[in-house]
Structure formats: structure tokens, C-alpha cells
Amino acid sequence: MENSDLQALQKLDAAHHIHPFNDNAALAKKGTRILTKGEGCYVWDAEGNKMLDAFAGLWCVNIGYGRTELGKAAAKQMDTLAYYNSFFGCTTEPTVHLAAKLAELTPGDLNHAFFSNSGSEANDTILRMVRHFWAVQDQPDKNILIGRFNGYHGSTVAGASLGGMKGMHSQGGLPIPNIHHINQPYWFGEGGDLSPEEFGLQRARELEDKILELGPDRVAGFIGEPIQGAAGVFIPPMNYWPEIQRICRKYDVLLIADEVICGFGRTGHWFGSEYFGIQPDIMTLAKGITSGYIPLGAVMFNDRVSNVLRDKGGELAHGYTYSGHPVCTAVALENIRILQDEKIVENIQGNTGPYLASRWKELGEHPLVGEARVVGMVGALELVPNKPSRAFFEDRGKVGQLCRDIALKNGLILRATNDAMLLSPPLIITRGQIDELFEKAWKSLNQTAEALGK
Ligand SMILES: *Cc1c(COP(=O)(O)O)cnc(C)c1O
């Protein structure tokens, strides 16, 4: 793109476009980065810079950029039947096929899909359906949902309330009533002298304490991401989730796994719940369901919840115009076909996952890195001032941003949350590209250390 064209676009953007999760005043001065092209694991910006996208857009481009099959699937559906709804006793072919496909792919008896346009909307659906589930069984007061501090469940009113991001709660009067939060299983930052296993049990048991404090007859469900993504890729100790599940079963609290990031292969398993060995009652899906090529979300309900809603719930007073949009469901089916036919998830488990883990652990040896954690194709590097101490930098977040900007100049896209560098590449990343990722990350860590005078 010509420089003058780029500047004109940036000017228009600053004048008319409000960006999500941005300081819009600062951005208007700096000028938006405009992305123009994607191919495999790479994206290009309007200035012609080629970057290795080690964040898969926003945790979502699982099959990589530029797969024309998805566009063809969308065009075919648009030409045949661009839209029809699933209200009034109707639906469309790809939507039925996708519901059945998701029932087959998701673990256990998560056999029933409700479609939304995003992860946030799916969690709004869950909030209402979970409360309705208990209400129609004569337990209207069993309406409290428990989430976790720094959990991320989207940006709508219910999603942001279920999530535990302080900055989000402070805008718009959230959380809404009858949502509570417990502490997160973030061993690196909060584990103190406990071993990860001791800490995992302790944090899981906070759920039991909270349920007993509120009363089991008040608590409807617990929601969590198998691996907390936006908070900084917090991978809980392996005993955390089984203990959470035990507690939920004991007090008949519905277990909700928000798999928006973990789902569709991110952990080297189809779903994060499988990696941790749990069986949720309800699952949130989005992002990787279409590899980000088109918006789509879904809620999977198990037989128990679905049967109650169907047999006792009456007419469902809930739905979106685009619930089960046929173009989106057709694209999702094609995306899943590619994931399956090309054995992308299996390849992570047997090949690229262990290789990425070994190279990521090498980055952990850098003097600036306090911990390198990774599962499958998702990980983080914690940057610290005094290795091996786990204490944070004083001015939290500054060094993370610095490192992110340096990496970008080196042609590598990573995300920074506080001072953790987050990794979530397309699942199709090759060994050669993992080497490139390593080289660019190591160089960026060196330059960050240099900039800090270390
Ligand atoms: C991104 C995300 C959401 C929200 O999905 P949107 O499609 O952005 O609404 C919900 N939960 C988790 C875990 C996410 O990462």
C-alpha cells in the first residue's frame, strides 16, 4: 500500500472507528496498524512487513490463514441459501449437521448444541439457561454462578460479569447480582511456598468454601476456562480440575467449561476438559470452531440439562437472529473437516507439541524469564527482574509491552498480559517455524534485557 493511502486510512480510522480493548486516544495519535494479508502462520501489514503470528489472530486461527476451502464453503452456502433462521420450527442443513458433529466431537453426553455468534453470547445463553434449569425444578433460588478472579468469559453483560476482570467490572456497573468469584489457580504469581499440587488443591477447595458460605441450595453452577487464557495463560496443576469436578458433583452444582480458547485442538486434545480429565455438564465454544474465518459460538449441553430444559422448560424464550446461521455453520463444518482429515490435533500430540514444549523450555533458560509454561499450542513466558525469584517487576506490565513491541519489530507477534508473553500459534505451525519462533523470541528477549540495562 502507498504510504499516502495508509495515512489516509489511519486518519479515517482515528476519526470514525472505536477499537475494542484499546486506549483510543493514544491509538488515534499513534496510528492503527492495518493488516492486509494472511497465509499459513504469517500475516502482512500495510507497510509490507511479514510477521510470524504466534498468537493466531486472537487465539482463533487454528488451521492457519488462507485456506480457500472455507471461503468456498461460505460462497456455496450463500449462493444456495444465504440465510434462514432456526426459529418457528425451521432450520437449515449445515446447522443440523454441525450440531450432530459437535455432539460427536465433544466428550461424554454433551449431545445438544445451541448456537450463538460469539463466545460472549454463548455465555449469556448459559447464564440464562442454567438459572432456568433450576427454576423449572422448583429451585428458583439456586441461581448463583461462581466464576474466578481474572477469568475471561467475554465482554457482554453476562460474559463480563461471569469473568473476573476488575477493569471490566468498573465500566458499566458489573458484575450483575448473584455472581461470585473465587481465586484463580495461578501458582507462579500466587502460589507462595506451596508446591503446585498443594496450591492446586487449596485453590479448588475455595470453591467448596464458597458453596458452603452461600449455601448449596443457592449455587447453580461454576464456570472456568480449563486454561485461563486472557489472564496470562494460567495452566492449573493437574489436580485442580478433578477436585473442582468432585466438589461440583458433591453439591449438585453444574460444571461449565469455557472452552472458547482450549477447544478445537489448542491443548493437543480436542478439548481442554479432556486434557485435564474432567467431564463438564455444559461447554462454551467459539473462536477455533471456525478458526476465526467467520463469527460463530455454541453452547453444548449434556443430556441431563437438555432433557430438563426440553421437558419442563416450556417454550424457550431465548435466541439470536443468527443462531445457527447457515453460512457460519457451513464454514465450521469445513474447518472441522480440515482439522480431522489433516490430523492436525494428532500431529500436535505426537510431533509439534513436544517439539514446541522443548524449545519453549529453552526460552525459559533466558535470564529474563522466570517461568516458561506450555501445553500443546498454548503457553506463556513470565518475565521477571530477578530470576529465579518469582517476584514481579515493580511497574507491572511495562516490560511485557516493551518486549511485545520489540518482538513485533523482529517480525514476531506475541501478546503481553502484565509481564507475561503469551503464545497461541496456529495449530499447523511446523518444526521449522517453531525454530523461527524460538530465534525471534530469544533475540527479542535479549533486546528487551538490553533496553532494561541488564
Ligand atoms: C474470547 C473468549 C470469550 C469471548 O468470545 P467472543 O467471541 O469474543 O465473544 C469467552 N471465553 C473465553 C475463554 C475467551 O477466550
Side-chain angles (χ1 to χ4, degrees):
M1 193 182 293
E2 293 290 329
N3 209 26
S4 55
D5 293 344
L6 172 57
Q7 281 169 1
L9 258 186
Q10 287 173 323
K11 217 168 141 199
L12 281 177
D13 187 71
H16 303 295
H17 181 198
I18 302 170
H19 288 244
F21 288 104
N22 260 278
D23 177 341
N24 279 280
L27 182 63
K29 281 203 199 98
K30 191 174 160 205
T32 314
R33 218 151 40 86
I34 294 169
L35 284 292
T36 51
K37 192 178 115 168
E39 190 69 52
C41 291
Y42 297 93
V43 290
W44 283 258
D45 68 15
E47 293 171 64
N49 299 307
K50 178 184 179 185
M51 293 159 283
L52 176 62
D53 182 8
F55 206 66
L58 202 42
W59 320 93
C60 57
V61 188
N62 287 13
I63 61 166
Y65 296 92
R67 292 298 300 249
T68 54
E69 299 95 320
L70 271 62
K72 284 186 187 126
K76 186 169 163 223
Q77 185 59 44
M78 278 189 188
D79 292 348
T80 313
L81 177 66
Y83 172 77
Y84 208 78
N85 61 67
S86 295
F87 293 20
F88 320 128
C90 301
T91 195
T92 54
E93 286 177 61
T95 298
V96 179
H97 285 305
L98 181 61
K101 190 74 190 174
L102 293 175
E104 174 199 315
L105 279 177
T106 51
D109 64 344
L110 291 163
N111 288 327
H112 315 272
F114 182 92
F115 292 108
S116 66
N117 305 288
S118 68
S120 303
E121 280 184 3
N123 283 326
D124 275 54
T125 295
I126 288 173
L127 178 94
R128 291 189 59 199
M129 290 307 109
V130 164
R131 287 178 172 170
H132 189 49
F133 168 82
W134 293 112
V136 299
Q137 296 178 97
D138 300 322
Q139 290 177 271
D141 293 332
K142 200 167 164 75
N143 62 4
I144 293 176
L145 281 114
I146 299 176
R148 300 178 298 181
F149 292 115
N150 282 323
Y152 187 77
H153 301 296
S155 201
T156 52
V157 169
S161 293
L162 292 167
M165 300 282 183
K166 272 209 196 86
M168 294 177 74
H169 288 173
S170 72
Q171 296 180 359
L174 305 179
I176 54 173
N178 291 323
I179 293 179
H180 291 252
H181 299 89
I182 59 171
N183 283 308
Q184 55 195 352
Y186 176 31
W187 178 80
F188 181 85
E190 301 171 357
D193 295 332
L194 298 180
S195 73
E197 289 66 35
E198 289 166 341
F199 179 71
L201 275 190
Q202 188 194 73
R203 283 287 154 102
R205 287 187 183 149
E206 281 196 19
L207 177 60
E208 186 155 33
D209 295 344
K210 184 58 94 178
I211 291 171
L212 292 172
E213 173 197 324
L214 297 163
D217 53 341
R218 291 294 323 276
V219 181
F222 171 78
I223 185 166
E225 306 150 78
I227 291 171
Q228 258 168 283
V233 183
F234 299 162
I235 303 165
M238 288 309 282
N239 58 359
Y240 175 82
W241 275 109
E243 181 67 3
I244 289 278
Q245 174 169 275
R246 182 191 70 77
I247 294 163
C248 286
R249 301 278 188 265
K250 181 171 172 191
Y251 298 103
D252 203 10
V253 165
L254 293 175
L255 177 56
I256 305 151
D258 183 335
E259 294 262 8
V260 170
I261 289 174
C262 290
F264 299 94
R266 181 61 53 201
T267 65
H269 298 256
W270 275 88
F271 299 96
S273 297
E274 295 167 316
Y275 174 74
F276 288 109
I278 56 160
Q279 178 58 51
D281 301 299
I282 299 173
M283 226 183 225
T284 319
L285 302 175
K287 293 193 173 113
I289 193 171
T290 57
S291 286
Y293 278 61
I294 204 163
L296 180 69
V299 183
M300 296 306 294
F301 293 101
N302 70 3
D303 289 342
R304 177 192 179 199
V305 177
S306 168
N307 287 344
V308 168
L309 292 174
R310 187 190 59 202
D311 299 338
K312 298 188 172 169
E315 186 178 318
L316 189 61
H318 176 68
Y320 310 108
T321 300
Y322 300 136
S323 284
H325 193 296
V327 177
C328 304
T329 51
V331 170
L333 281 169
E334 185 62 9
N335 175 57
I336 292 168
R337 184 196 66 71
I338 288 173
L339 282 168
Q340 287 190 312
D341 284 2
E342 299 180 10
K343 301 204 184 323
I344 289 171
V345 185
E346 290 88 334
N347 186 49
I348 295 171
Q349 236 183 73
N351 178 21
T352 50
Y355 189 64
L356 177 68
S358 74
R359 301 246 63 190
W360 199 246
K361 296 285 171 192
E362 275 182 68
L363 290 173
E365 288 160 24
H366 194 278
L368 205 54
V369 178
E371 183 183 69
R373 49 179 182 263
V374 62
V375 169
M377 287 285 149
V378 60
L381 300 174
E382 291 272 5
L383 308 188
V384 293
N386 299 307
K387 187 175 180 162
S389 156
R390 276 151 53 208
F392 297 132
F393 284 101
E394 237 165 69
D395 195 0
R396 245 187 126 185
K398 278 266 160 32
V399 177
Q401 268 184 37
L402 175 69
C403 183
R404 182 200 57 196
D405 293 345
I406 288 173
L408 198 58
K409 287 208 182 82
N410 290 327
L412 172 66
I413 299 177
L414 291 169
R415 175 170 169 180
T417 295
N418 290 318
D419 296 313
M421 308 311 299
L422 311 188
L423 169 79
S424 167
L427 306 185
I428 49 132
I429 192 168
T430 62
R431 281 169 173 253
Q433 288 162 345
I434 290 170
D435 289 337
E436 180 188 340
L437 165 69
F438 174 88
E439 302 296 338
K440 288 184 165 156
W442 188 267
K443 180 175 168 194
S444 304
L445 289 168
N446 279 343
Q447 290 173 346
T448 304
E450 231 168 83
L452 293 172
K454 284 184 179 268

